[in-house]
Amino acid sequence: MNKRGFGKLYQKNFDEKISVNEAIKEIECFLETISEAVIRDKKVKFMNRGTFEILDKKPRRIADPVTKEPKIIYPRKDVRFKLSENAKKSLWETR
């Protein structure tokens, strides 16, 4: 699903009349807030929904696929969303 399709879904589920562009702006604002909170606190938890958290990836050695020479992938940080057990159960019940 792309941003516009997500905006239309948000618009459909919203109680008041709202345009798709306004829905997209609200979604962007929410995602920006989540990003800032994860950067500041390293973890954002939504009860019965899931958790956004920063993972520290360790450095590792790989072989370059073209030249076959060994290389090191340097450590980095990733953001992960882990679905809560309650959300997993409700997801499987709807199927």
Side-chain angles (χ1 to χ4, degrees):
M1 178 178 288
N2 62 15
K3 190 189 312 185
R4 189 145 196 90
F6 191 69
K8 286 180 181 180
L9 183 64
Y10 180 85
Q11 176 191 30
K12 185 176 131 186
N13 291 330
F14 201 68
D15 291 338
E16 301 171 18
K17 287 285 183 179
I18 178 174
S19 72
V20 176
N21 290 332
E22 289 173 347
I24 291 172
K25 286 179 185 177
E26 287 186 17
I27 293 166
E28 288 292 328
C29 181
F30 175 74
L31 292 175
E32 186 64 33
T33 305
I34 292 290
S35 298
E36 290 174 12
V38 168
I39 289 169
R40 190 182 74 207
D41 296 334
K42 306 249 190 259
K43 189 181 231 183
V44 175
K45 189 171 190 174
F46 293 101
M47 296 300 285
N48 298 325
R49 298 284 184 228
T51 305
F52 287 96
E53 61 186 335
I54 293 180
L55 296 176
D56 293 321
K57 299 285 187 168
K58 295 179 181 177
R60 58 191 174 116
R61 292 176 177 244
I62 63 162
D64 186 323
V66 176
T67 63
K68 306 293 185 209
E69 67 182 59
K71 288 190 172 187
I72 295 177
I73 295 180
Y74 294 100
R76 62 190 170 112
K77 295 179 187 249
D78 277 342
V79 176
R80 175 179 77 166
F81 180 76
K82 184 176 180 185
L83 205 57
S84 73
E85 291 300 319
N86 290 339
K88 286 180 187 177
K89 287 178 187 175
S90 67
L91 180 67
W92 283 109
E93 288 173 2
T94 58
R95 288 184 174 209

Coordinates of all heavy atoms in Angstrom, one line a residue:
M1 N 0.9 -1.2 0.0 CA 0.0 0.0 0.0 C 0.9 1.2 0.0 O 1.9 1.3 0.8 CB -0.9 0.0 1.3 CG -1.8 1.2 1.4 SD -2.9 1.2 2.8 CE -4.0 -0.1 2.3
N2 N 0.6 2.2 -0.8 CA 1.4 3.4 -0.9 C 0.7 4.5 0.0 O -0.3 4.2 0.7 CB 1.5 4.0 -2.3 CG 0.1 4.3 -2.9 OD1 -0.9 4.4 -2.2 ND2 0.1 4.5 -4.2
K3 N 1.4 5.6 0.1 CA 1.0 6.7 1.0 C -0.4 7.2 0.7 O -1.2 7.4 1.6 CB 2.0 7.9 0.9 CG 1.8 8.9 2.0 CD 2.6 10.2 1.8 CE 4.0 10.0 1.5 NZ 4.8 11.2 1.4
R4 N -0.8 7.3 -0.6 CA -2.1 7.8 -0.9 C -3.2 6.8 -0.6 O -4.3 7.2 0.0 CB -2.2 8.1 -2.4 CG -3.4 8.8 -2.8 CD -3.1 9.8 -3.9 NE -4.1 10.8 -4.1 CZ -4.2 12.0 -3.5 NH1 -3.3 12.3 -2.6 NH2 -5.2 12.8 -3.7
G5 N -2.9 5.5 -0.8 CA -3.9 4.5 -0.4 C -4.1 4.4 1.1 O -5.2 4.2 1.6
F6 N -3.0 4.6 1.8 CA -3.1 4.6 3.3 C -3.9 5.9 3.7 O -4.7 5.8 4.7 CB -1.7 4.6 3.9 CG -1.7 4.4 5.4 CD1 -2.0 3.2 5.9 CD2 -1.4 5.4 6.3 CE1 -2.0 2.9 7.3 CE2 -1.3 5.2 7.6 CZ -1.7 4.0 8.1
G7 N -3.7 7.0 3.1 CA -4.4 8.2 3.4 C -5.9 8.0 3.1 O -6.8 8.5 3.9
K8 N -6.3 7.3 2.1 CA -7.7 7.1 1.8 C -8.3 6.1 2.8 O -9.5 6.3 3.2 CB -7.9 6.4 0.4 CG -7.7 7.4 -0.7 CD -7.8 6.7 -2.1 CE -7.6 7.7 -3.2 NZ -7.7 7.1 -4.5
L9 N -7.6 5.1 3.3 CA -8.0 4.3 4.3 C -8.2 5.0 5.6 O -9.2 4.8 6.3 CB -7.1 3.1 4.5 CG -7.4 2.0 5.5 CD1 -8.7 1.3 5.1 CD2 -6.3 1.0 5.7
Y10 N -7.3 5.9 5.9 CA -7.4 6.7 7.1 C -8.6 7.6 7.0 O -9.4 7.8 8.0 CB -6.1 7.6 7.3 CG -6.1 8.5 8.5 CD1 -5.7 8.0 9.7 CD2 -6.4 9.8 8.4 CE1 -5.6 8.8 10.8 CE2 -6.4 10.6 9.5 CZ -6.0 10.2 10.7 OH -6.0 11.0 11.8
Q11 N -8.8 8.2 5.9 CA -10.0 9.1 5.7 C -11.3 8.3 5.9 O -12.2 8.8 6.5 CB -9.9 9.7 4.2 CG -11.1 10.5 3.8 CD -11.1 10.8 2.3 OE1 -10.6 10.0 1.6 NE2 -11.6 11.9 2.0
K12 N -11.4 7.1 5.4 CA -12.6 6.3 5.5 C -12.9 5.9 7.0 O -14.0 5.9 7.4 CB -12.4 5.0 4.7 CG -13.6 4.1 4.6 CD -13.3 2.9 3.7 CE -13.7 1.7 4.4 NZ -13.3 0.5 3.7
N13 N -11.8 5.7 7.8 CA -12.0 5.3 9.2 C -12.2 6.5 10.1 O -12.4 6.3 11.3 CB -10.9 4.4 9.6 CG -10.9 3.1 9.0 OD1 -11.9 2.6 8.6 ND2 -9.7 2.5 8.8
F14 N -12.0 7.7 9.6 CA -12.0 8.9 10.4 C -13.5 9.4 10.5 O -14.3 9.3 9.6 CB -11.2 10.0 9.7 CG -10.8 11.2 10.6 CD1 -9.9 10.9 11.7 CD2 -11.3 12.4 10.5 CE1 -9.5 11.9 12.5 CE2 -10.9 13.4 11.3 CZ -10.0 13.2 12.4
D15 N -13.9 9.8 11.7 CA -15.3 10.2 12.0 C -15.7 11.4 11.2 O -16.8 11.4 10.7 CB -15.5 10.4 13.5 CG -15.4 9.1 14.3 OD1 -15.6 8.0 13.7 OD2 -15.2 9.2 15.5
E16 N -14.9 12.4 11.2 CA -15.3 13.7 10.5 C -14.9 13.6 9.1 O -14.0 12.8 8.7 CB -14.6 14.8 11.3 CG -15.0 15.0 12.7 CD -14.1 16.0 13.4 OE1 -13.5 16.8 12.8 OE2 -14.1 15.9 14.7
K17 N -15.4 14.6 8.3 CA -15.0 14.7 6.9 C -13.6 15.3 6.9 O -13.3 16.3 7.5 CB -16.0 15.6 6.1 CG -17.3 14.9 5.8 CD -17.1 13.9 4.7 CE -18.5 13.3 4.4 NZ -18.4 12.4 3.3
I18 N -12.7 14.6 6.1 CA -11.3 15.1 6.0 C -10.9 14.7 4.6 O -11.3 13.6 4.1 CB -10.5 14.4 7.1 CG1 -9.0 14.8 7.0 CG2 -10.6 12.9 7.1 CD1 -8.2 14.2 8.1
S19 N -10.1 15.6 4.0 CA -9.6 15.3 2.6 C -8.4 14.3 2.7 O -7.8 14.1 3.8 CB -9.2 16.5 1.9 OG -8.0 17.0 2.5
V20 N -8.1 13.7 1.6 CA -7.0 12.7 1.5 C -5.7 13.4 1.8 O -4.9 12.9 2.6 CB -7.0 12.0 0.2 CG1 -5.8 11.1 0.1 CG2 -8.2 11.2 -0.1
N21 N -5.5 14.6 1.3 CA -4.3 15.4 1.6 C -4.2 15.7 3.1 O -3.1 15.7 3.6 CB -4.2 16.7 0.8 CG -4.0 16.4 -0.7 OD1 -3.4 15.3 -1.1 ND2 -4.5 17.2 -1.6
E22 N -5.3 16.1 3.8 CA -5.2 16.3 5.2 C -4.9 15.0 5.9 O -4.1 15.1 6.9 CB -6.5 16.9 5.7 CG -6.8 18.3 5.2 CD -8.2 18.8 5.6 OE1 -9.0 17.9 6.0 OE2 -8.4 20.0 5.5
A23 N -5.4 13.9 5.5 CA -5.1 12.6 6.1 C -3.7 12.3 6.0 O -3.0 11.9 6.9 CB -6.0 11.5 5.5
I24 N -3.1 12.6 4.8 CA -1.7 12.3 4.6 C -0.8 13.2 5.5 O 0.2 12.7 6.0 CB -1.3 12.5 3.1 CG1 -2.0 11.3 2.3 CG2 0.2 12.5 2.9 CD1 -1.9 11.5 0.8
K25 N -1.2 14.5 5.6 CA -0.5 15.4 6.5 C -0.5 14.9 8.0 O 0.5 14.9 8.7 CB -1.0 16.8 6.4 CG -0.7 17.5 5.2 CD -1.3 18.9 5.2 CE -1.0 19.6 3.8 NZ -1.7 20.9 3.8
E26 N -1.7 14.4 8.4 CA -1.8 13.9 9.8 C -0.9 12.6 10.0 O -0.3 12.4 11.0 CB -3.2 13.6 10.1 CG -4.0 14.8 10.4 CD -5.4 14.5 10.9 OE1 -5.7 13.4 11.3 OE2 -6.3 15.4 10.8
I27 N -0.9 11.8 9.0 CA -0.1 10.5 9.0 C 1.4 10.9 9.1 O 2.2 10.4 9.8 CB -0.4 9.6 7.8 CG1 -1.8 9.1 7.9 CG2 0.6 8.5 7.7 CD1 -2.3 8.5 6.6
E28 N 1.8 11.9 8.2 CA 3.2 12.3 8.2 C 3.6 12.9 9.6 O 4.7 12.6 10.1 CB 3.4 13.4 7.1 CG 3.4 12.8 5.7 CD 4.6 11.9 5.4 OE1 5.7 12.1 6.0 OE2 4.5 11.0 4.7
C29 N 2.7 13.7 10.2 CA 3.0 14.3 11.5 C 3.1 13.2 12.5 O 4.1 13.2 13.4 CB 1.8 15.2 11.8 SG 2.1 16.0 13.4
F30 N 2.3 12.2 12.5 CA 2.4 11.1 13.4 C 3.7 10.3 13.3 O 4.4 10.0 14.2 CB 1.2 10.1 13.2 CG 1.2 8.9 14.1 CD1 1.0 8.9 15.4 CD2 1.6 7.7 13.5 CE1 1.1 7.8 16.2 CE2 1.7 6.5 14.3 CZ 1.4 6.6 15.6
L31 N 4.1 10.0 12.0 CA 5.3 9.3 11.8 C 6.5 10.1 12.2 O 7.5 9.5 12.7 CB 5.4 8.9 10.3 CG 4.4 7.8 9.8 CD1 4.5 7.6 8.3 CD2 4.5 6.5 10.6
E32 N 6.5 11.4 12.0 CA 7.6 12.2 12.4 C 7.7 12.2 14.0 O 8.8 12.2 14.5 CB 7.4 13.7 11.9 CG 8.5 14.6 12.2 CD 9.8 14.2 11.5 OE1 9.7 13.6 10.4 OE2 10.9 14.4 12.1
T33 N 6.6 12.3 14.6 CA 6.5 12.2 16.1 C 7.1 10.9 16.6 O 7.9 10.9 17.6 CB 5.1 12.4 16.6 OG1 4.6 13.6 16.1 CG2 5.1 12.5 18.1
I34 N 6.7 9.8 16.0 CA 7.3 8.5 16.3 C 8.8 8.5 16.1 O 9.5 8.0 17.0 CB 6.6 7.4 15.5 CG1 5.1 7.2 15.8 CG2 7.3 6.0 15.7 CD1 4.9 6.6 17.2
S35 N 9.2 9.0 15.0 CA 10.7 9.0 14.7 C 11.4 9.8 15.8 O 12.5 9.3 16.3 CB 11.0 9.7 13.4 OG 10.4 9.0 12.4
E36 N 10.9 11.0 16.2 CA 11.6 11.8 17.2 C 11.6 11.0 18.6 O 12.6 11.0 19.3 CB 10.9 13.1 17.4 CG 11.2 14.0 16.2 CD 10.4 15.3 16.3 OE1 9.8 15.6 17.3 OE2 10.3 16.0 15.2
A37 N 10.5 10.4 18.9 CA 10.4 9.7 20.2 C 11.3 8.5 20.2 O 12.0 8.2 21.3 CB 9.0 9.3 20.4
V38 N 11.4 7.8 19.1 CA 12.3 6.6 19.1 C 13.8 7.0 19.2 O 14.6 6.4 19.9 CB 12.1 5.8 17.8 CG1 13.2 4.7 17.6 CG2 10.8 5.1 17.9
I39 N 14.1 8.1 18.5 CA 15.5 8.6 18.6 C 15.8 9.1 20.0 O 16.9 8.8 20.6 CB 15.7 9.8 17.6 CG1 15.7 9.3 16.2 CG2 17.0 10.5 17.9 CD1 15.6 10.3 15.1
R40 N 14.9 9.7 20.7 CA 15.1 10.3 22.0 C 15.1 9.2 23.1 O 16.0 9.1 23.9 CB 14.0 11.3 22.4 CG 14.4 12.1 23.7 CD 13.3 13.0 24.0 NE 12.2 12.3 24.6 CZ 10.9 12.7 24.5 NH1 10.6 13.8 24.0 NH2 10.0 11.9 25.0
D41 N 14.1 8.3 23.1 CA 14.0 7.3 24.1 C 14.4 5.9 23.8 O 14.4 5.0 24.6 CB 12.5 7.2 24.6 CG 12.1 8.5 25.2 OD1 12.9 9.3 25.7 OD2 10.9 8.8 25.2
K42 N 14.8 5.6 22.5 CA 15.3 4.3 22.0 C 14.1 3.3 21.9 O 14.3 2.2 21.4 CB 16.4 3.8 22.8 CG 17.6 4.7 23.0 CD 18.8 4.2 22.2 CE 20.0 4.9 22.6 NZ 20.3 5.9 21.6
K43 N 13.0 3.6 22.5 CA 11.9 2.6 22.5 C 10.5 3.4 22.7 O 10.4 4.2 23.5 CB 12.0 1.6 23.6 CG 11.1 0.4 23.6 CD 11.4 -0.5 24.8 CE 11.6 -1.9 24.3 NZ 11.8 -2.8 25.4
V44 N 9.5 3.0 21.8 CA 8.2 3.6 22.0 C 7.2 2.4 22.0 O 7.2 1.6 21.0 CB 7.8 4.5 20.8 CG1 6.4 5.0 20.9 CG2 8.8 5.7 20.8
K45 N 6.4 2.3 23.0 CA 5.6 1.2 23.2 C 4.1 1.6 23.2 O 3.7 2.5 23.9 CB 5.9 0.5 24.6 CG 5.2 -0.8 24.8 CD 5.7 -1.5 26.0 CE 5.2 -2.9 26.1 NZ 5.8 -3.6 27.2
F46 N 3.3 0.9 22.4 CA 1.9 1.1 22.3 C 1.2 -0.1 22.9 O 1.4 -1.2 22.4 CB 1.4 1.3 20.9 CG 1.9 2.5 20.2 CD1 2.9 2.5 19.3 CD2 1.3 3.7 20.5 CE1 3.4 3.7 18.7 CE2 1.7 4.9 19.9 CZ 2.8 4.9 19.0
M47 N 0.5 0.1 24.0 CA -0.1 -1.0 24.7 C -1.1 -1.8 23.8 O -1.8 -1.2 23.0 CB -0.9 -0.5 25.9 CG 0.0 0.1 27.0 SD 1.2 -1.0 27.6 CE 0.2 -2.0 28.7
N48 N -1.0 -3.1 23.8 CA -1.8 -4.0 23.0 C -1.6 -3.8 21.5 O -2.5 -4.3 20.7 CB -3.3 -3.9 23.4 CG -3.5 -4.3 24.8 OD1 -2.9 -5.2 25.3 ND2 -4.4 -3.6 25.4
R49 N -0.6 -3.1 21.1 CA -0.3 -2.9 19.6 C 1.0 -3.4 19.2 O 1.2 -4.2 18.4 CB -0.5 -1.4 19.2 CG -1.8 -0.9 19.4 CD -2.8 -1.3 18.4 NE -4.1 -0.7 18.5 CZ -5.2 -1.3 18.5 NH1 -5.2 -2.6 18.3 NH2 -6.3 -0.7 18.7
G50 N 2.1 -2.8 19.9 CA 3.4 -3.2 19.5 C 4.4 -2.2 20.0 O 4.1 -1.2 20.7
T51 N 5.7 -2.4 19.6 CA 6.8 -1.6 20.1 C 7.7 -1.2 18.9 O 8.1 -2.1 18.2 CB 7.6 -2.3 21.2 OG1 6.7 -2.8 22.2 CG2 8.7 -1.5 21.8
F52 N 8.1 0.1 18.9 CA 9.1 0.5 18.0 C 10.4 0.6 18.8 O 10.4 1.2 19.9 CB 8.8 1.9 17.4 CG 7.8 2.0 16.4 CD1 6.5 2.3 16.7 CD2 8.1 1.8 15.1 CE1 5.5 2.4 15.8 CE2 7.1 1.8 14.1 CZ 5.8 2.1 14.5
E53 N 11.5 0.1 18.3 CA 12.7 0.1 19.1 C 13.9 0.2 18.1 O 13.9 -0.2 17.0 CB 12.9 -1.0 20.1 CG 12.9 -2.4 19.4 CD 12.9 -3.5 20.5 OE1 13.3 -3.3 21.6 OE2 12.5 -4.6 20.1
I54 N 15.0 0.7 18.7 CA 16.3 0.8 17.9 C 17.1 -0.4 18.2 O 17.3 -0.7 19.4 CB 17.0 2.1 18.2 CG1 16.3 3.3 17.8 CG2 18.4 2.1 17.6 CD1 16.9 4.6 18.1
L55 N 17.6 -1.1 17.2 CA 18.5 -2.2 17.3 C 19.9 -1.8 16.9 O 20.1 -1.2 15.9 CB 18.0 -3.4 16.4 CG 16.7 -4.0 16.8 CD1 16.3 -5.0 15.7 CD2 16.7 -4.6 18.1
D56 N 20.9 -2.2 17.6 CA 22.3 -2.0 17.3 C 22.8 -3.3 16.5 O 22.8 -4.3 17.1 CB 23.1 -1.7 18.5 CG 22.8 -0.4 19.2 OD1 22.5 0.5 18.4 OD2 22.8 -0.4 20.4
K57 N 23.1 -3.1 15.3 CA 23.6 -4.2 14.5 C 25.1 -4.3 14.7 O 25.8 -3.3 14.6 CB 23.3 -4.0 13.0 CG 21.8 -4.0 12.7 CD 21.2 -5.3 12.8 CE 19.8 -5.3 12.3 NZ 19.2 -6.6 12.0
K58 N 25.6 -5.5 14.9 CA 27.1 -5.7 15.1 C 27.8 -5.6 13.7 O 27.2 -6.0 12.7 CB 27.3 -7.0 15.8 CG 26.7 -7.0 17.2 CD 27.0 -8.4 17.8 CE 26.4 -8.4 19.2 NZ 26.5 -9.7 19.8
P59 N 29.1 -5.3 13.7 CA 29.9 -5.4 12.5 C 30.0 -6.9 12.1 O 30.0 -7.8 13.0 CB 31.2 -4.8 12.9 CG 31.3 -4.9 14.3 CD 29.9 -4.9 14.9
R60 N 30.1 -7.1 10.8 CA 30.3 -8.5 10.4 C 31.1 -8.6 9.1 O 31.2 -7.6 8.4 CB 28.9 -9.2 10.2 CG 28.0 -8.5 9.2 CD 26.6 -9.1 9.2 NE 25.8 -8.3 8.4 CZ 25.2 -8.8 7.3 NH1 25.3 -10.0 6.9 NH2 24.4 -8.0 6.6
R61 N 31.6 -9.7 8.9 CA 32.5 -9.9 7.7 C 31.6 -10.6 6.6 O 30.9 -11.5 6.8 CB 33.7 -10.8 8.0 CG 34.7 -10.2 8.9 CD 35.8 -11.1 9.2 NE 36.7 -10.5 10.1 CZ 38.0 -10.2 9.7 NH1 38.4 -10.7 8.5 NH2 38.8 -9.6 10.5
I62 N 31.8 -10.1 5.4 CA 31.2 -10.7 4.2 C 32.2 -10.9 3.1 O 33.3 -10.3 3.1 CB 30.0 -9.9 3.7 CG1 30.5 -8.5 3.2 CG2 28.9 -9.7 4.8 CD1 29.5 -7.8 2.3
A63 N 31.8 -11.6 2.1 CA 32.6 -11.7 0.8 C 31.9 -10.9 -0.2 O 30.7 -11.1 -0.4 CB 32.8 -13.1 0.4
D64 N 32.6 -10.0 -0.9 CA 32.0 -9.2 -1.9 C 31.6 -10.1 -3.0 O 32.3 -10.9 -3.5 CB 33.1 -8.2 -2.5 CG 32.5 -7.2 -3.5 OD1 31.7 -7.6 -4.3 OD2 33.0 -6.0 -3.4
P65 N 30.3 -10.0 -3.5 CA 29.8 -11.0 -4.5 C 30.5 -10.9 -5.8 O 30.6 -11.9 -6.5 CB 28.3 -10.6 -4.6 CG 28.0 -9.5 -3.7 CD 29.3 -9.1 -3.0
V66 N 31.1 -9.8 -6.2 CA 31.7 -9.6 -7.5 C 33.2 -10.0 -7.4 O 33.6 -10.8 -8.2 CB 31.6 -8.1 -8.0 CG1 32.3 -8.0 -9.3 CG2 30.1 -7.8 -8.1
T67 N 33.9 -9.4 -6.5 CA 35.4 -9.7 -6.4 C 35.8 -10.8 -5.5 O 36.9 -11.2 -5.5 CB 36.1 -8.4 -5.9 OG1 35.7 -8.1 -4.6 CG2 35.8 -7.2 -6.9
K68 N 34.9 -11.3 -4.7 CA 35.1 -12.4 -3.7 C 36.1 -12.0 -2.6 O 36.5 -12.9 -1.8 CB 35.6 -13.7 -4.4 CG 34.7 -14.1 -5.5 CD 33.3 -14.6 -5.0 CE 32.6 -15.2 -6.1 NZ 31.2 -15.1 -6.0
E69 N 36.5 -10.7 -2.5 CA 37.4 -10.4 -1.4 C 36.6 -10.0 -0.2 O 35.5 -9.6 -0.2 CB 38.2 -9.2 -1.8 CG 37.5 -7.9 -2.0 CD 38.4 -6.7 -2.5 OE1 39.0 -6.9 -3.5 OE2 38.4 -5.7 -1.7
P70 N 37.2 -10.3 1.0 CA 36.5 -10.1 2.3 C 36.3 -8.6 2.6 O 37.2 -7.8 2.3 CB 37.4 -10.8 3.3 CG 38.7 -11.0 2.7 CD 38.5 -11.0 1.2
K71 N 35.1 -8.3 3.1 CA 34.9 -6.9 3.5 C 34.2 -6.9 4.8 O 33.6 -7.9 5.2 CB 33.9 -6.2 2.5 CG 34.6 -5.9 1.2 CD 33.7 -5.0 0.3 CE 34.5 -4.5 -0.9 NZ 33.7 -3.6 -1.6
I72 N 34.2 -5.8 5.5 CA 33.5 -5.6 6.8 C 32.3 -4.7 6.6 O 32.5 -3.6 6.1 CB 34.5 -5.1 7.9 CG1 35.6 -6.1 8.1 CG2 33.7 -4.8 9.1 CD1 36.6 -5.6 9.1
I73 N 31.2 -5.1 7.1 CA 30.0 -4.3 7.2 C 30.1 -3.6 8.5 O 30.1 -4.3 9.5 CB 28.7 -5.0 7.0 CG1 28.7 -5.6 5.5 CG2 27.5 -4.1 7.2 CD1 27.4 -6.4 5.2
Y74 N 30.1 -2.3 8.6 CA 30.3 -1.6 9.9 C 29.0 -1.6 10.7 O 27.9 -1.8 10.2 CB 30.8 -0.2 9.6 CG 32.1 -0.2 9.0 CD1 32.3 0.0 7.6 CD2 33.3 -0.4 9.8 CE1 33.6 0.0 7.1 CE2 34.5 -0.4 9.3 CZ 34.7 -0.2 7.9 OH 36.0 -0.3 7.4
P75 N 29.1 -1.4 12.0 CA 27.9 -1.4 12.9 C 27.0 -0.3 12.5 O 27.4 0.7 12.0 CB 28.5 -1.2 14.3 CG 29.9 -0.7 14.1 CD 30.3 -1.1 12.7
R76 N 25.7 -0.6 12.7 CA 24.7 0.4 12.3 C 23.5 0.2 13.2 O 23.4 -0.7 14.0 CB 24.2 0.2 10.8 CG 23.6 -1.1 10.5 CD 23.4 -1.3 9.1 NE 23.1 -2.7 8.8 CZ 21.9 -3.0 8.4 NH1 21.0 -2.1 8.1 NH2 21.6 -4.3 8.2
K77 N 22.5 1.1 13.1 CA 21.3 1.1 13.9 C 20.1 0.9 13.0 O 20.1 1.6 11.9 CB 21.2 2.4 14.7 CG 22.3 2.5 15.8 CD 22.1 3.8 16.5 CE 23.3 4.0 17.4 NZ 23.0 3.8 18.8
D78 N 19.2 0.1 13.4 CA 18.0 -0.1 12.6 C 16.8 0.1 13.6 O 16.9 0.0 14.8 CB 17.9 -1.6 12.1 CG 18.6 -1.7 10.8 OD1 18.9 -0.8 10.1 OD2 18.9 -2.9 10.5
V79 N 15.6 0.4 13.0 CA 14.4 0.6 13.8 C 13.5 -0.7 13.4 O 13.4 -1.0 12.3 CB 13.7 1.9 13.4 CG1 12.3 1.9 14.1 CG2 14.5 3.1 13.7
R80 N 13.0 -1.3 14.5 CA 12.2 -2.4 14.3 C 10.8 -2.2 15.0 O 10.8 -1.6 16.0 CB 12.9 -3.6 15.0 CG 12.0 -4.9 15.0 CD 12.7 -6.1 15.6 NE 12.7 -5.9 17.0 CZ 13.0 -6.9 17.8 NH1 13.3 -8.1 17.3 NH2 12.9 -6.8 19.1
F81 N 9.8 -2.7 14.4 CA 8.5 -2.7 15.0 C 8.1 -4.2 15.3 O 8.1 -5.0 14.4 CB 7.4 -2.1 14.1 CG 6.0 -2.1 14.7 CD1 5.7 -1.2 15.7 CD2 5.1 -3.1 14.4 CE1 4.5 -1.2 16.3 CE2 3.8 -3.1 15.0 CZ 3.5 -2.1 16.0
K82 N 7.9 -4.4 16.6 CA 7.5 -5.8 17.0 C 6.0 -5.8 17.4 O 5.7 -5.0 18.3 CB 8.4 -6.2 18.2 CG 8.1 -7.7 18.6 CD 9.1 -8.1 19.6 CE 8.8 -9.6 20.0 NZ 9.6 -10.0 21.1
L83 N 5.2 -6.6 16.8 CA 3.8 -6.7 17.1 C 3.6 -7.3 18.4 O 4.3 -8.3 18.8 CB 3.1 -7.5 16.0 CG 1.7 -7.3 15.7 CD1 1.4 -5.9 15.4 CD2 1.2 -8.2 14.6
S84 N 2.7 -6.8 19.2 CA 2.4 -7.4 20.6 C 1.7 -8.7 20.4 O 1.1 -9.0 19.4 CB 1.6 -6.5 21.4 OG 0.3 -6.4 21.0
E85 N 1.7 -9.5 21.5 CA 1.0 -10.8 21.4 C -0.5 -10.7 21.2 O -1.1 -11.4 20.5 CB 1.3 -11.6 22.7 CG 2.7 -12.1 22.8 CD 3.1 -13.0 21.7 OE1 2.3 -13.9 21.3 OE2 4.3 -12.9 21.2
N86 N -1.1 -9.6 21.9 CA -2.5 -9.4 21.7 C -2.9 -9.0 20.3 O -3.9 -9.5 19.8 CB -3.0 -8.3 22.7 CG -3.0 -8.7 24.1 OD1 -3.0 -9.9 24.4 ND2 -2.9 -7.7 25.0
A87 N -2.0 -8.2 19.7 CA -2.3 -7.8 18.3 C -2.1 -9.0 17.4 O -2.9 -9.2 16.4 CB -1.3 -6.7 17.9
K88 N -1.2 -9.9 17.7 CA -1.0 -11.1 16.9 C -2.2 -12.0 17.0 O -2.7 -12.6 16.0 CB 0.2 -11.9 17.3 CG 1.5 -11.3 16.9 CD 2.7 -12.1 17.4 CE 4.0 -11.5 17.2 NZ 5.1 -12.3 17.8
K89 N -2.8 -12.2 18.2 CA -3.9 -13.0 18.4 C -5.1 -12.4 17.6 O -5.9 -13.2 17.0 CB -4.3 -13.1 19.9 CG -3.3 -14.0 20.6 CD -3.7 -14.0 22.1 CE -2.6 -14.7 22.9 NZ -2.9 -14.7 24.3
S90 N -5.4 -11.1 17.7 CA -6.5 -10.5 17.0 C -6.3 -10.6 15.5 O -7.3 -10.7 14.8 CB -6.7 -9.1 17.5 OG -5.7 -8.3 17.1
L91 N -5.1 -10.5 15.0 CA -4.8 -10.7 13.6 C -5.2 -12.1 13.1 O -5.8 -12.2 12.1 CB -3.4 -10.3 13.3 CG -2.9 -10.4 11.9 CD1 -3.6 -9.3 11.1 CD2 -1.4 -10.3 11.8
W92 N -4.8 -13.1 13.9 CA -5.1 -14.5 13.5 C -6.6 -14.8 13.6 O -7.1 -15.6 12.9 CB -4.3 -15.4 14.2 CG -2.9 -15.5 13.7 CD1 -1.8 -15.0 14.4 CD2 -2.4 -16.0 12.5 NE1 -0.7 -15.2 13.6 CE2 -1.0 -15.7 12.4 CE3 -3.0 -16.6 11.4 CZ2 -0.2 -16.1 11.3 CZ3 -2.3 -16.9 10.3 CH2 -0.9 -16.7 10.3
E93 N -7.3 -14.1 14.6 CA -8.7 -14.4 14.7 C -9.5 -13.8 13.6 O -10.6 -14.3 13.3 CB -9.2 -13.8 16.0 CG -8.7 -14.5 17.2 CD -9.1 -13.8 18.6 OE1 -9.7 -12.8 18.5 OE2 -8.7 -14.4 19.6
T94 N -9.1 -12.7 12.9 CA -9.8 -12.1 11.8 C -9.6 -12.9 10.5 O -10.4 -12.7 9.6 CB -9.4 -10.7 11.6 OG1 -8.0 -10.6 11.3 CG2 -9.7 -9.8 12.8
R95 N -8.7 -13.8 10.5 CA -8.5 -14.6 9.2 C -9.4 -15.7 9.1 O -9.8 -16.4 9.9 CB -7.0 -15.0 9.1 CG -6.1 -13.8 8.8 CD -4.7 -14.3 8.7 NE -4.0 -13.1 8.3 CZ -2.9 -13.2 7.5 NH1 -2.4 -14.3 7.1 NH2 -2.2 -12.1 7.2

